[in-house]
Amino acid sequence: QMELVESGGGSVQAGGSLRLSCTGSGYRNCMAWFRQAPGKDREGVASVSNRGIFTNYKDSVKGRFTISRDDAKKAIYLQMNSLKPEDTAMYYCAANVASCDHMDPGIGVLWGRGTQVTVSS
């Protein structure tokens, strides 16, 4: 059974950094990070196309977050710097995302179980 496993979440103060990792047998095609805060819809944070040719970011994280992938390790990463309280959410790894440009997951997406990121002011 294909799966994705996230790690690297935690609690930090505003201005701090975290690095999320995601790996698993479900690794394929466009990969992305999504997040969901309590009471809000899940939203795309960053995506990376096949072979890492293109990346895309939610406007509010541009310049602070960096997504990368390592095909040999079947892993993606999200380096998060200058974290803000509004970045607090459950972060999910996604594989086989239908639209990398628009971070539209589509019906064939595979989700990880998530890792919690909490940023205190």
Side-chain angles (χ1 to χ4, degrees), residues 34 94-100 102-111:
F34 288 75
N96 199 38
V97 173
S99 172
C100 243
H102 298 96
M103 289 189 278
D104 179 358
I107 61 173
V109 66
L110 176 68
W111 297 103

Coordinates of all heavy atoms in Angstrom, one line a residue, residues 34 94-100 102-111:
F34 N 0.7 21.0 1.8 CA -0.5 21.7 2.1 C -0.6 21.9 3.6 O 0.1 21.3 4.4 CB -1.8 20.9 1.6 CG -1.9 20.8 0.1 CD1 -1.1 20.0 -0.6 CD2 -2.9 21.6 -0.5 CE1 -1.3 20.0 -2.0 CE2 -3.1 21.5 -1.9 CZ -2.3 20.7 -2.6
A94 N 1.7 15.8 0.0 CA 0.9 15.3 -1.1 C 1.7 14.8 -2.3 O 2.6 15.5 -2.7 CB -0.2 16.3 -1.5
A95 N 1.3 13.7 -2.8 CA 1.9 13.2 -4.0 C 0.9 13.1 -5.2 O -0.3 13.0 -4.9 CB 2.5 11.8 -3.7
N96 N 1.5 13.1 -6.4 CA 0.6 13.0 -7.6 C -0.4 14.1 -7.6 O -1.6 13.9 -7.9 CB 0.0 11.6 -7.6 CG -0.5 11.2 -9.0 OD1 0.1 11.5 -10.0 ND2 -1.7 10.6 -9.0
V97 N 0.0 15.3 -7.3 CA -0.9 16.5 -7.3 C -1.3 16.8 -8.7 O -0.4 16.8 -9.6 CB -0.2 17.7 -6.6 CG1 -1.0 18.9 -6.8 CG2 0.1 17.4 -5.2
A98 N -2.6 17.0 -9.0 CA -3.1 17.1 -10.4 C -2.5 18.4 -11.0 O -2.1 18.3 -12.2 CB -4.6 17.2 -10.4
S99 N -2.5 19.5 -10.3 CA -2.0 20.7 -10.9 C -0.9 21.3 -10.0 O -1.2 21.8 -8.9 CB -3.1 21.8 -11.1 OG -2.6 23.0 -11.5
C100 N 0.3 21.3 -10.5 CA 1.4 21.9 -9.7 C 1.3 23.4 -9.7 O 1.6 24.0 -8.7 CB 2.8 21.4 -10.2 SG 3.7 20.4 -9.1
H102 N -1.3 25.4 -9.8 CA -2.4 25.9 -9.0 C -2.5 25.2 -7.7 O -3.4 25.5 -6.9 CB -3.7 25.8 -9.8 CG -3.7 26.7 -11.0 ND1 -3.4 26.1 -12.3 CD2 -3.9 28.0 -11.2 CE1 -3.5 27.1 -13.2 NE2 -3.8 28.2 -12.6
M103 N -1.6 24.2 -7.5 CA -1.7 23.4 -6.2 C -3.1 22.9 -6.0 O -3.6 23.0 -4.9 CB -1.2 24.3 -5.0 CG 0.3 24.5 -5.1 SD 1.1 25.2 -3.6 CE 0.7 26.9 -3.9
D104 N -3.6 22.4 -7.1 CA -4.9 21.7 -7.0 C -4.7 20.2 -6.9 O -4.1 19.6 -7.8 CB -5.7 22.0 -8.3 CG -7.1 21.3 -8.3 OD1 -7.4 20.6 -7.4 OD2 -7.8 21.5 -9.3
P105 N -5.1 19.6 -5.7 CA -4.7 18.3 -5.5 C -5.3 17.3 -6.5 O -4.7 16.3 -6.8 CB -5.2 18.0 -4.1 CG -6.2 19.1 -3.8 CD -5.8 20.3 -4.6
G106 N -6.6 17.5 -6.9 CA -7.2 16.5 -7.8 C -7.6 15.3 -7.1 O -7.4 15.1 -5.9
I107 N -8.2 14.3 -7.9 CA -8.8 13.2 -7.3 C -7.8 12.0 -7.1 O -8.1 11.1 -6.3 CB -10.0 12.7 -8.1 CG1 -9.6 12.3 -9.5 CG2 -11.1 13.7 -8.1 CD1 -10.7 11.6 -10.3
G108 N -6.7 12.1 -7.7 CA -5.7 11.0 -7.6 C -4.6 11.3 -6.6 O -3.6 10.6 -6.6
V109 N -4.8 12.3 -5.8 CA -3.7 12.7 -4.9 C -3.6 11.7 -3.8 O -4.6 11.1 -3.3 CB -4.0 14.1 -4.3 CG1 -5.3 14.1 -3.4 CG2 -2.8 14.6 -3.5
L110 N -2.4 11.5 -3.3 CA -2.1 10.7 -2.1 C -1.7 11.6 -1.0 O -0.7 12.4 -1.2 CB -1.0 9.7 -2.4 CG -0.6 8.8 -1.2 CD1 -1.8 7.9 -0.8 CD2 0.6 8.0 -1.6
W111 N -2.3 11.5 0.2 CA -2.0 12.4 1.3 C -1.2 11.6 2.4 O -1.4 10.4 2.6 CB -3.3 12.9 2.0 CG -4.1 13.7 1.1 CD1 -5.3 13.4 0.5 CD2 -3.9 15.1 0.8 NE1 -5.8 14.5 -0.2 CE2 -5.0 15.6 0.0 CE3 -2.9 16.1 1.2 CZ2 -5.1 16.9 -0.5 CZ3 -3.0 17.4 0.7 CH2 -4.1 17.8 -0.1

